[in-house]
Amino acid sequence: MEKIKIAIIGYGNIGKAVELATQQTPDIEPVVILTRRSPDDIKPATQGLKVDTLQEAEKYAEQVDVAVLCGGSATDLPVQGPMMAAIFNTVDSYDTHALIPKYYQAVDQAARKAGNTAVISTGWDPGLFSLMRVIEDSVLPVGTHYTFWGPGVSQGHSDAVRRVKGVRDARQYTIPIEQAVEKVRSGSEPGLATRDMHLRDCYVVAEEGADKKQIEAEIKNMPYYFDAYDTRVTFISKEEMEKNHSQMPHGGFVMRGGRTGEGYRHVIEFSLKLESNPAFTASVLLAYARAAHRLNRDGQIGAKTVLDIAPGLLSPRPPEELRRDML
Amino acid sequence: MEKIKIAIIGYGNIGKAVELATQQTPDIEPVVILTRRSPDDIKPATQGLKVDTLQEAEKYAEQVDVAVLCGGSATDLPVQGPMMAAIFNTVDSYDTHALIPKYYQAVDQAARKAGNTAVISTGWDPGLFSLMRVIEDSVLPVGTHYTFWGPGVSQGHSDAVRRVKGVRDARQYTIPIEQAVEKVRSGSEPGLATRDMHLRDCYVVAEEGADKKQIEAEIKNMPYYFDAYDTRVTFISKEEMEKNHSQMPHGGFVMRGGRTGEGYRHVIEFSLKLESNPAFTASVLLAYARAAHRLNRDGQIGAKTVLDIAPGLLSPRPPEELRRDML
């Protein structure tokens, strides 16, 4: 089997998970990790896997089929996305929903100029959840859409709590409200306010002598992040935080209730329950790396999203086998 | 807006539902119903909609963008699929899983020769469920797949019961066993025997003087259809059958439990709860009719399945809008 050769760009949570995920994909192998840090500081899990600096990326243009961009959406990807798409086929998990059109354009331009294919905003949301939103909306045009997130750790909300004065560490769990999910499942297409859909559950390590009442009030009233929700704040010790809150589970539900002719009601539900958000995201990234490689071989260059990619391209199995065994 | 013009081929449960479904798709309009029956016997729901015989199909080649084939898989589609693909772009819900490769080939040949695009085996299984099986298998390569069907009416099993001596009418509901679904949801990847996954629930109207014990035994021991399952048989009156069992609800679950690096477990679940199987199938057929039209305009001819079609092609919304609002 000819293997798809990938470069792992950035070696944080996602980068490490991508490296591990290649052990489950016999048709994909990592050939280099590229990092902004000093390569000597990085110890890959794969024996003998090369590590080099990001500046040396062009050196690997010929050896690499797809670069998997594992940086963050806030500052890394807006720069690295277009830059890497000028050198490699790429796949990334850019997730700043509001800025996707702008990011798409920047990456598209760079990729087209270089004849590369760049799959942006994969993972699960954006990613599989986006896919489901579009499919559900297309097959049930008259209806109501719902996305619930969690139970899981929200990085953005955890960071917001950490910025509160007197907070030493914090973890915020987004929890979908079960009664709301059940109402949607019933097919009744309920109207749901923000507060009806999710609970925000915060675990906080306070600095010594900090005013806990004040911290709790400040969190609960924080605009945009917390003020529209019911928020629970629990103070715990540093030890308890390390022991019970070091994992990054996540997941959620994409649901649609809809009606067809003669008033028949239908409910479509897609859900994920993930023990590790980065591990699952990495696994999705590899499936779309496979697709990026195939699209490029097929001459389909430029930026692509999950909406542009036929599902069969994600699978290592040949089309005849998919039709025979999985259709 | 330029509308996609469809022909409805066959006017049974699915054909009628397709006609109604066009009322929910402003970009699609029916221009003719083609039938094997006498056109005079058909009263379309749409005022003024033309009805003609199937033999006259070629007359409509120029006016029709896509023919929606609404016949059955046992005898209609094996003939009509290739025949219509030689005249029109088509979409169908061919669902004899074991014969799909053969059907694909016959339709592909006819469609290619004529420069048409033929989307086969859409609907929900095969169809959306197939899509989910492939996506789930691709993003979680190490894991276990489960498909549960129901609660819903199985046409094939109902027919099998009706063939038992002394049975006047019958309806068979396939019921997924909740404990099995819960075990899969827990992420434990349980081993499940046929009997563990589904219950078969039969409602039977017996002929006068028939031996009910004998009927019940014959159903429960019927090879392939019932012997591997726990089966419940309830005798009811003709009136009760008409009153309580005239609907065709269905649905089911496509689930995968899988593991990524470091032993993290993940569960993906896709489920449908449908008040009317034909109404939902019709709604899916129209989304894929839209895709067939677009693929053909793009020069992509031959037979296609849901696995070959980028999800964005299903939506009436333009790509920029999808990226902005739904990604």
Side-chain angles (χ1 to χ4, degrees), chain A residues 24 126 130 133 137 139 185 247 259 264-265 267 269-271 273 275 283 307 312 317 326-327, chain B residues 24 130 132-133 137 139 185 247 259 264-265 267 269-271 273 275 283 307 312 317 326-327:
Chain A
Q24 302 191 331
S130 323
R133 282 189 280 266
D137 177 73
V139 302
R185 263 185 206 138
Q247 300 295 306
R259 284 146 282 145
Y264 290 118
R265 287 181 177 273
V267 179
E269 176 175 343
F270 177 76
S271 74
K273 207 163 67 189
E275 281 189 355
S283 202
L307 307 178
R317 305 178 200 274
M326 302 184 83
L327 207 64
Chain B
Q24 302 191 329
S130 323
M132 292 316 305
R133 282 190 280 267
D137 178 72
V139 302
R185 262 185 206 140
Q247 300 296 306
R259 284 145 283 145
Y264 288 118
R265 288 182 176 275
V267 179
E269 176 174 344
F270 177 76
S271 73
K273 206 163 69 188
E275 280 188 357
S283 201
L307 307 180
R317 304 178 201 274
M326 303 186 81
L327 206 62

Side-chain angles (χ1 to χ4, degrees), chain A residues 4-6 61 64-69 80-92 103-104 106-122 285 287-306 308-310 313-314:
Chain A
I4 300 170
K5 293 178 177 56
I6 66 161
V64 166
D65 295 312
V66 185
V68 182
L69 311 190
Q80 291 174 9
M83 191 188 284
M84 292 297 115
I87 304 173
F88 305 110
N89 298 316
T90 62
V91 58
D92 70 48
Y103 183 69
Y104 175 90
V107 173
D108 188 56
Q109 202 169 19
R112 278 188 195 280
K113 208 167 152 188
N116 289 328
T117 305
V119 179
I120 69 161
S121 300
T122 70
L285 278 168
Y288 280 97
R290 186 180 289 122
H293 176 59
R294 291 170 170 176
L295 287 168
N296 190 258
R297 272 193 323 197
D298 193 39
Q300 298 195 46
I301 62 166
K304 307 284 171 195
T305 76
V306 296
D308 305 313
I309 296 175
L313 293 176
L314 303 177

Side-chain angles (χ1 to χ4, degrees), chain B residues 53-129:
Chain B
T53 63
L54 196 51
Q55 292 96 295
E56 300 295 323
E58 285 194 64
K59 253 178 41 190
Y60 299 91
E62 290 305 308
Q63 300 165 49
V64 167
D65 295 312
V66 184
V68 182
L69 312 189
C70 305
S73 298
T75 56
D76 298 334
L77 291 176
V79 178
Q80 291 175 9
M83 190 186 284
M84 291 298 116
I87 304 172
F88 304 110
N89 299 316
T90 63
V91 59
D92 70 48
S93 58
Y94 183 79
D95 67 359
T96 311
H97 289 261
L99 300 178
I100 285 176
K102 193 180 152 204
Y103 184 68
Y104 175 90
Q105 219 161 18
V107 173
D108 187 55
Q109 203 168 18
R112 278 186 195 281
K113 208 168 152 187
N116 288 329
T117 305
V119 179
I120 68 160
S121 300
T122 71
W124 59 275
D125 195 1
L128 301 187
F129 273 21

Side-chain angles (χ1 to χ4, degrees), chain A residues 3-315:
Chain A
K3 295 202 176 196
I4 300 170
K5 293 178 177 56
I6 66 161
I8 297 170
I9 314 290
Y11 201 65
N13 282 331
I14 302 268
K16 285 174 194 168
V18 165
E19 187 190 5
L20 286 182
T22 59
Q23 296 171 2
Q24 302 191 331
T25 50
D27 62 329
I28 299 181
E29 67 175 349
V31 296
V32 66
I33 295 168
L34 297 173
T35 174
R36 284 177 313 182
R37 290 184 271 169
S38 162
D40 295 337
D41 292 350
I42 286 180
K43 303 274 162 278
T46 313
Q47 182 109 40
L49 178 57
K50 207 173 160 99
V51 184
D52 206 339
T53 63
L54 196 52
Q55 291 97 297
E56 299 296 321
E58 285 194 61
K59 253 176 45 189
Y60 299 90
E62 290 304 308
Q63 300 166 48
V64 166
D65 295 312
V66 185
V68 182
L69 311 190
C70 304
S73 297
T75 55
D76 299 333
L77 291 175
V79 178
Q80 291 174 9
M83 191 188 284
M84 292 297 115
I87 304 173
F88 305 110
N89 298 316
T90 62
V91 58
D92 70 48
S93 58
Y94 184 79
D95 68 358
T96 311
H97 289 263
L99 300 178
I100 285 176
K102 195 180 150 204
Y103 183 69
Y104 175 90
Q105 219 162 16
V107 173
D108 188 56
Q109 202 169 19
R112 278 188 195 280
K113 208 167 152 188
N116 289 328
T117 305
V119 179
I120 69 161
S121 300
T122 70
W124 59 275
D125 195 1
L128 301 187
F129 273 21
S130 323
L131 209 60
M132 293 315 306
R133 282 189 280 266
V134 170
I135 291 172
E136 291 178 7
D137 177 73
S138 303
V139 302
L140 278 183
V142 177
T144 313
H145 166 79
Y146 305 84
T147 300
F148 292 90
W149 293 275
V153 175
S154 160
Q155 217 56 55
H157 285 78
S158 298
D159 288 345
V161 175
R162 280 190 209 103
R163 285 192 296 266
V164 171
K165 195 170 165 252
V167 170
R168 186 169 163 182
D169 197 6
R171 192 65 43 101
Q172 194 264 195
Y173 296 90
T174 304
I175 299 177
I177 294 172
E178 188 58 27
Q179 296 94 304
V181 175
E182 284 303 331
K183 265 189 210 161
V184 175
R185 263 185 206 138
S186 76
S188 67
E189 297 182 44
L192 294 172
T194 300
R195 193 179 299 276
D196 300 331
M197 294 181 72
H198 297 96
L199 178 79
R200 300 215 169 268
D201 196 13
C202 306
Y203 292 82
V204 176
V205 181
E207 282 168 5
E208 216 160 286
D211 181 343
K212 292 183 178 174
K213 279 230 154 65
Q214 168 69 24
I215 290 174
E216 182 167 344
E218 211 170 306
I219 295 171
K220 289 186 170 175
N221 295 314
M222 198 184 294
Y224 173 67
Y225 284 97
F226 292 100
D227 64 346
Y229 299 86
D230 287 333
T231 300
R232 200 158 58 191
V233 177
T234 307
F235 290 93
I236 59 173
S237 68
K238 184 171 166 290
E239 292 68 37
E240 207 180 328
M241 178 66 80
E242 276 160 17
K243 186 165 159 240
N244 297 332
H245 301 280
S246 66
Q247 300 295 306
M248 282 180 281
H250 219 315
F253 306 80
V254 174
M255 304 173 81
R256 189 171 180 85
R259 284 146 282 145
T260 54
E262 299 184 280
Y264 290 118
R265 287 181 177 273
H266 313 281
V267 179
I268 310 180
E269 176 175 343
F270 177 76
S271 74
L272 293 174
K273 207 163 67 189
L274 313 174
E275 281 189 355
S276 162
N277 187 348
F280 185 75
T281 299
S283 202
V284 176
L285 278 168
L286 284 191
Y288 280 97
R290 186 180 289 122
H293 176 59
R294 291 170 170 176
L295 287 168
N296 190 258
R297 272 193 323 197
D298 193 39
Q300 298 195 46
I301 62 166
K304 307 284 171 195
T305 76
V306 296
L307 307 178
D308 305 313
I309 296 175
L313 293 176
L314 303 177
S315 176

Side-chain angles (χ1 to χ4, degrees), chain B residues 146-167:
Chain B
Y146 305 85
T147 301
F148 292 89
W149 292 274
V153 175
S154 161
Q155 216 54 54
H157 285 78
S158 299
D159 289 345
V161 175
R162 280 189 209 103
R163 286 192 296 265
V164 170
K165 194 170 167 252
V167 170

Side-chain angles (χ1 to χ4, degrees), chain B residues 19-77:
Chain B
E19 187 190 4
L20 285 183
T22 59
Q23 296 171 2
Q24 302 191 329
T25 50
D27 62 330
I28 298 180
E29 68 176 348
V31 296
V32 66
I33 295 168
L34 297 172
T35 174
R36 285 175 315 183
R37 290 182 270 170
S38 162
D40 295 338
D41 292 350
I42 286 180
K43 303 276 162 276
T46 313
Q47 182 107 41
L49 178 57
K50 205 172 163 107
V51 184
D52 206 339
T53 63
L54 196 51
Q55 292 96 295
E56 300 295 323
E58 285 194 64
K59 253 178 41 190
Y60 299 91
E62 290 305 308
Q63 300 165 49
V64 167
D65 295 312
V66 184
V68 182
L69 312 189
C70 305
S73 298
T75 56
D76 298 334
L77 291 176

